[in-house]
Structures are given as structure tokens and as C-alpha cells.
Amino acid sequence: MKIRVNMNKHLRQVCLTGIAVLLLLFAGSCDTGKLKIYRETRASLYTVVTITIYSDSKHKAEAAINNTFKELDRLGALLNFYSEDSEVSMINRYSGIKPVKVSKDTLDVIGRSLDISKNTDGAFDVTIGAVVKLWDFEKHVVPDEKTIKDKLKLVNYRNILIDRIKSTVFLKKKGMQIDLGGIEKGYAADRAVELLQGNGITAGIIAVGGEVKPFGTKPDGQPWRVGIRNPHFTGKEDEIYAIVNLNDKAISTSGGYEKFFVKDGKLYHHILNPATGYPVHECQSVSIIAKNAPDGYPTGIFVLGPQKGMEVLTKLGLDGVIMDKQGEVYITKGIKDKVDLVK
Ligand code: ADP
Ligand code: MG
């Protein structure tokens, strides 16, 4: 299905929160029966996290929210590519030298990333770390071609060896670097929901950057409605181009507009092709919808481009919404009737 974005509806119901790719919508009242809405936004996992829950007890809600942020901070400390003392940095430091013993969380996230690499023909590949480090989106550094070529030799997910019994990860080539930045937020969103439910919370929605995951039934009985941010680079960043009605599914979004700079008239962003080391421009925004936060897939599909991306989604039985470089929107059959396009 291919549609041009030209509809204009639902805008007045939209309530924008945080700087996430996706903006949360609450069409109903904020106080339904005995249940009250509690919401808190903090920085965690090097992004903005918003937890929104319904509860009949302020005390229970606050405890659940605090426990969840604590867990997200713990995951951030294990998985961060840029801090020296994370487990990921330890794995990277010993690349080509020896396997590193890690926690179940780190092992699970890397395990998930390998599945996504296989399913996207390597378009998603966390071993892109050595190339990611060459780019600097704050200082607007475009690495030179030869250095990129050189570091590309270190990019190949097949060179990650996981030993589930010993709980170790080994990167086969010296200098190899894994960067879980494209997948850790989804894993964290799934964990957060588990934790909130374990703390007795039956309904809510969490946003970890571009990962949005609702759970339970909204007290007003309406579906969870989530907006996808307009990817245009100028002027319209605070608007949304589509609204997705989710039941108990999660939505993950990747867009080139999240981290980018323009140099000598050329646009560079943070979603890189593992085959070339450069940003890919075929898509502007990719959202994937699935039971578990499908983080990683939007990045991989973004790299594959809209045509190949739609083929892969269909093959995998995943649902998604893609906006290509011309602004054409592609929606998989399974969610056609759950997506409203907005101008
Ligand atoms: P965000 O970090 O805004 O959620 P993404 O989920 O799209 O954005 O992930 C992009 C991040 O993933 C980059 O900042 C980089 O750290 C890493 N990355 C970039 N390209 C790839 C790729 N092809 N495969 C895996 N990770 C990637
Ligand atoms: Mg991602």
C-alpha cells in the first residue's frame, strides 16, 4: 500500500510529550474512576524516558516508577557504548583477545541483535561500532573515505561469538567494536513493562526515546494512540505525520532526523549502511510494530530502503510504516486500518 500524506485529522486530540520520536496521545480523561494517571519524564539510557501509568494508589505508582527508572539506569550502565566501565566497553576492549563474561541482559540484547542482523541481511549490524566512532554529529566530522574503508573490515556480525553456557561474548577480530545504541532502548522498554507489571501496575505506556510500549487496557477503554513524528528536517519536527492505534503492541521508530548535520550542502545522519559506512537516504522514517519492542528492525529496514524493507517485513510477518525520501508512505497490510495519516 502506498499513500501520499495529505490527510488532516485528530490533531486537536494530540498531546505532545518529551522529545521522543513518537509522541504520546491521551484522548480520554486523565482520571477515570478510582484510577489516576501518573507520569514522569527523566533522562535515562542516554535518551528521554517517559513513564505513564494508571494506578489507584499514589504510593504504589511512585514506587513502581522509581523502581523502573532504577532498572533502566542499571541497563544503561551495562550497555552504553561510550562509557569505559560498561560491559559493552569491556567486550570491545578485549576484541580479538579473549571472551568476556557478561550479565544475562547484555547477552540477551546481543542475542536479539544477531537475529535482527540475520533477518535483515546484515543491514542491522551492531559491529558497526568502529565506524560509528569515526563520525561526530556534534562537531560535524565527516571521516575520510580511506579510514572508513579500513574500519569496515571490522564490521561483520558473524564475528560475534556468544557462549550462552559460559555467559561470554567474544569479538573475533582485534579492534572490533559493538554499539548497541540501535537496540538497547527497545530491550529496556520491554524490561520496564515487565517491572511495572511486577509492581502491580496493570496499565500504562512507556517511551524510551523512539520506543513506545503500552500495556494493559486504558481505563477509558480506548486504544492506545501513538503519533509518529514528522521527519522533515526543517520546520515541522514537532508535528506528527501518522497516528497508530496500538492494542498491546510496541512501536519502534528510527529516523535520520534524530541526529544529523549538514556540511557543504550534504546531509549526514546517524543511520549508517554497514556495507559502506555512510548514511543511507532512501527512507526518512521507519516505524515497526510488534508484541516485543522491535528496536533494531527500524534501523535495519531504514538501511534496506522502502522496497526491500517492505519485502522483508512481509516475509517476517512484521508490521510497519515507512516514509521514503520523497515523502511517500508505505504501510503493511496488517495495520492499514490502524494507521491514520495526518498532514
Ligand atoms: P536512535 O538511537 O535515535 O534510537 P536508531 O534506533 O535508528 O536511533 O539507532 C541508530 C544508532 O544505532 C546509531 O546512533 C548508531 O549508534 C547505531 N547504528 C547506526 N547504524 C546502524 C546499523 N546499520 N546497524 C546497527 N546499529 C547502527
Ligand atoms: Mg533503535
Side-chain angles (χ1 to χ4, degrees):
M1 185 181 170
K2 197 162 136 184
I3 310 162
R4 267 212 96 79
V5 183
N6 60 2
M7 284 184 243
N8 186 5
K9 48 178 169 173
H10 306 299
L11 267 179
R12 248 167 287 136
Q13 296 171 34
V14 173
C15 147
L16 310 181
T17 64
I19 59 151
V21 183
L22 299 166
L23 308 162
L24 312 188
L25 312 173
F26 293 94
S29 124
C30 283
D31 185 353
T32 315
K34 270 169 53 192
L35 292 178
K36 282 211 165 118
I37 192 164
Y38 296 89
R39 178 182 296 162
E40 185 147 343
T41 298
R42 293 187 200 165
S44 186
L45 280 139
Y46 311 93
T47 188
V48 176
V49 177
T50 300
I51 299 175
T52 307
I53 54 174
Y54 293 94
S55 176
D56 55 4
S57 147
K58 184 169 185 240
H59 177 74
K60 193 164 90 177
E62 283 175 357
I65 288 176
N66 283 333
N67 288 341
T68 306
F69 275 117
K70 221 185 259 169
E71 172 66 358
L72 294 179
D73 290 344
R74 186 187 71 82
L75 289 176
L78 293 178
L79 303 174
N80 184 27
F81 180 47
Y82 294 98
S83 74
E84 293 270 303
D85 52 0
S86 66
E87 288 191 343
V88 162
S89 291
M90 183 83 96
I91 294 169
N92 291 341
R93 206 169 305 130
Y94 286 106
S95 61
I97 301 173
K98 63 171 188 183
V100 173
K101 199 165 167 59
V102 294
S103 62
K104 183 175 178 309
D105 290 304
T106 302
L107 212 65
D108 284 351
V109 182
I110 296 171
R112 265 196 197 190
S113 82
L114 291 181
D115 291 340
I116 301 173
S117 296
K118 283 175 205 146
N119 286 336
T120 59
D121 287 338
F124 181 78
D125 189 331
V126 294
T127 64
I128 197 145
V131 176
V132 169
K133 279 220 170 123
L134 299 176
W135 290 87
D136 190 328
F137 293 91
E138 261 153 45
K139 297 195 181 123
H140 299 190
V141 173
V142 179
D144 79 88
E145 231 175 301
K146 196 184 158 307
T147 317
I148 291 189
K149 252 201 174 137
D150 214 38
K151 296 288 181 192
L152 277 179
K153 293 178 196 142
L154 301 170
V155 180
N156 189 343
Y157 67 93
R158 293 178 190 83
N159 290 329
I160 301 178
L161 299 186
I162 291 185
D163 186 328
R164 288 205 177 266
I165 301 188
K166 292 189 184 142
S167 196
T168 59
V169 180
F170 179 48
L171 306 182
K172 272 167 62 179
K173 283 197 178 178
K174 194 152 173 51
M176 260 179 90
Q177 307 258 297
I178 53 171
D179 168 12
L180 302 177
I183 187 169
E184 64 195 20
K185 297 179 202 72
Y187 181 84
D190 286 343
R191 282 288 303 123
V193 167
E194 273 172 31
L195 212 109
L196 289 166
Q197 289 174 321
N199 279 259
I201 307 298
T202 53
I205 186 162
I206 171 144
V208 183
E211 308 305 305
V212 177
K213 182 163 177 161
F215 63 100
T217 309
K218 257 173 77 182
D220 63 5
Q222 297 297 309
W224 301 99
R225 288 158 58 72
V226 172
I228 307 177
R229 199 160 121 181
N230 200 315
H232 296 147
F233 283 97
T234 49
K236 290 190 173 173
E237 300 86 2
D238 287 335
E239 292 179 8
I240 55 176
Y241 85 90
I243 299 170
V244 186
N245 292 295
L246 298 166
N247 290 324
D248 53 350
K249 292 202 168 155
I251 179 164
S252 297
T253 298
S254 287
Y257 53 92
E258 282 289 317
K259 230 193 256 177
F260 72 94
F261 63 88
V262 178
K263 196 168 183 179
D264 302 329
K266 267 187 152 174
L267 181 106
Y268 299 95
H269 64 72
H270 69 145
I271 302 175
L272 306 173
N273 186 344
T276 64
Y278 284 91
V280 195
H281 297 286
E282 296 307 303
C283 295
Q284 294 194 62
S285 169
V286 176
S287 297
I288 312 288
I289 291 113
K291 184 89 190 84
N292 288 325
D295 197 10
Y297 278 107
T299 311
I301 299 295
F302 195 105
V303 170
L304 290 175
Q307 273 84 19
K308 185 88 208 302
M310 286 294 278
E311 275 171 36
V312 169
L313 289 181
T314 308
K315 198 174 108 195
L316 297 173
L318 282 172
D319 279 318
V321 183
I322 300 175
M323 187 190 277
D324 76 6
K325 62 180 173 195
Q326 274 102 23
E328 300 278 351
V329 178
Y330 302 69
I331 305 174
T332 55
K333 276 199 192 119
I335 47 158
K336 239 182 356 204
D337 58 344
K338 295 200 164 53
V339 180
D340 298 320
L341 297 177
V342 177
K343 192 160 185 190

